[in-house]
Amino acid sequence: MADKVNVLLYGLGAIGSFYAFILHRSDRVRLTVVARSNHDAVVKDGIFIDSKIHGQHRFHPDQVIRSPSETAGQHFDYIVCTHKAVDPHGAIIPLDPVVDAKTTIVVLQNGVGNEDPFRERFPGVTIISGVVWVGASQSSPGIVQHTDAENTELGLFPNPSLPTDLEETRLEGFTSLLKQGKTPFRTIPTIQAARWEKVVWNVAWNAITTLTDQDVSGWLDSSPEAEGYTKELMREVIAVAASCGVLLKHGLEEELLARARELTRTGVLRTSMQADREAGRKMEIEVILGTPVRKGRGAGVGIPRLESLYVLLLAVNKRLL
């Protein structure tokens, strides 16, 4: 097994299952997955992917565990974090037994500021930050539907204590696995801009669909005011990003609105936060809305729409819990 790349995938929801599928396709990977609610189903039957792009596949990871502590002392070259970012600090504590000086952590989560808890807890590791544009849902434990949305953007969250060439080598090593897995990706030096762009998208569609119980098309067609409100909300988030030194492209709100319209032509566009609310699960409010709200307030940016949605979603979240 010396030539194998040991990968631990932490969080086997819909997105995690999709990346487990991609990584499993590389003959170089020895894949361990951490599963909770779907653990028994995956142990028994593996993971079934029904993809519009890749077809139907059933596969079995090399190891299926409930907690990283079950593999304490084993070295993992990459730990791919696809768990929901609902508890940014607490959720990564279970990784303590499997992180060592040669580990690279890959953060594939919604939101901004996600890398900070990893850097605080594991200061010596390489962190790869990723933005996921993948349409996937888990209809039942171990059964995942994948639409035709599929792209991954990756970049380094630089560690000043490590040589740049070492971190670049680790990034290239991970992307080589994605290439073997036949999924589109690109590496970009401005990964934080890509993260903020995704947050502009998520703030609008996740928050609005969750609060209105509408899919994206239903919301946009609900009144003459809906489209204008959405654009202004997006502009608020874009302004917060600029206050953090992240300048997003001019006209981004128009581009994202057009992208949403295009996606709704081929099917109903629902969101992960909406699905979490419907299932009674804690939602990713802080990394998607809370961090932009706090940064916007700190910089004196006017964000009335963003603040209102944040406060309302906190109330919904409390009721769910």
Side-chain angles (χ1 to χ4, degrees):
M1 300 294 289
D3 59 340
K4 287 285 187 178
V5 179
N6 282 322
V7 178
L8 176 72
L9 190 138
Y10 184 56
L12 198 65
I15 296 298
S17 296
F18 172 80
Y19 282 99
F21 165 65
I22 294 300
L23 291 165
H24 178 78
R25 298 175 89 180
S26 170
D27 58 10
R28 296 171 52 218
V29 169
R30 184 176 187 274
L31 180 63
T32 299
V33 299
V34 179
R36 296 202 307 173
S37 61
N38 55 3
H39 174 274
D40 293 346
V42 174
V43 168
K44 180 176 181 288
D45 298 318
I47 301 170
F48 179 76
I49 296 282
D50 184 2
S51 169
K52 288 186 177 181
I53 296 175
H54 302 286
Q56 295 184 339
H57 299 269
R58 186 179 296 278
F59 68 97
H60 291 262
D62 296 287
Q63 289 188 96
V64 183
I65 59 178
R66 294 185 186 275
S67 169
S69 63
E70 295 177 40
T71 57
Q74 181 177 338
H75 167 69
F76 289 99
D77 301 288
Y78 296 97
I79 296 177
V80 182
C81 294
T82 52
H83 61 287
K84 290 275 188 181
V86 295
D87 181 10
H89 291 271
I92 65 176
I93 293 174
L95 293 174
D96 286 356
V98 291
V99 175
D100 59 45
K102 295 183 179 180
T103 299
T104 294
I105 294 175
V106 184
V107 183
L108 300 181
Q109 296 176 314
N110 286 325
V112 286
N114 306 59
E115 306 91 351
D116 295 334
F118 290 95
R119 174 65 77 236
E120 291 169 16
R121 193 160 192 88
F122 310 115
V125 307
T126 293
I127 296 176
I128 298 172
S129 184
V131 178
V132 174
W133 297 92
V134 171
S137 60
Q138 186 171 208
S139 57
S140 59
I143 308 296
V144 175
Q145 284 74 41
H146 171 231
T147 67
D148 54 3
E150 181 180 359
N151 190 43
T152 309
E153 297 171 312
L154 297 162
L156 288 168
F157 186 70
N159 189 333
S161 67
L162 293 177
T164 301
D165 58 348
L166 173 62
E167 295 214 285
E168 292 286 354
T169 297
R170 290 171 172 173
L171 173 60
E172 291 170 6
F174 184 72
T175 58
S176 72
L177 304 180
L178 297 185
K179 185 176 182 179
Q180 287 190 328
K182 299 181 176 64
T183 191
F185 67 89
R186 65 183 183 124
T187 56
I188 52 178
T190 54
I191 191 61
Q192 293 307 314
R195 274 201 169 275
W196 275 97
E197 179 176 319
K198 179 70 180 293
V199 162
V200 174
W201 172 276
N202 280 338
V203 163
W205 306 129
N206 277 289
I208 289 172
T209 59
T210 299
L211 287 169
T212 64
D213 198 26
Q214 295 261 28
D215 59 58
V216 171
S217 180
W219 158 252
L220 290 174
D221 294 337
S222 65
S223 77
E225 309 297 325
E227 183 170 312
Y229 176 91
T230 305
K231 289 180 184 179
E232 290 302 318
L233 173 61
M234 288 181 174
R235 288 175 186 138
E236 288 181 9
V237 185
I238 292 168
V240 174
S243 75
C244 297
V246 180
L247 300 179
L248 303 181
K249 66 184 75 171
H250 178 71
L252 176 62
E253 70 278 12
E254 298 286 355
E255 178 183 318
L256 294 182
L257 189 67
R259 185 187 303 176
R261 285 288 194 190
E262 182 62 30
L263 289 172
T264 60
R265 291 191 183 98
T266 58
V268 174
L269 180 55
R270 295 171 62 79
T271 66
S272 58
M273 186 179 288
Q274 188 177 17
D276 287 341
R277 189 215 66 192
E278 291 170 353
R281 296 188 294 259
K282 190 174 181 180
M283 300 179 291
E284 294 177 302
I285 296 172
E286 292 303 327
V287 292
I288 293 177
L289 292 98
T291 298
V293 163
R294 286 184 286 274
K295 290 184 178 297
R297 287 172 176 168
V301 178
I303 49 173
R305 296 167 186 82
L306 177 60
E307 287 183 308
S308 297
L309 293 178
Y310 174 57
V311 172
L312 291 170
L313 283 168
L314 287 177
V316 174
N317 215 33
K318 184 174 182 179
R319 179 174 58 83
L320 291 175
L321 298 176

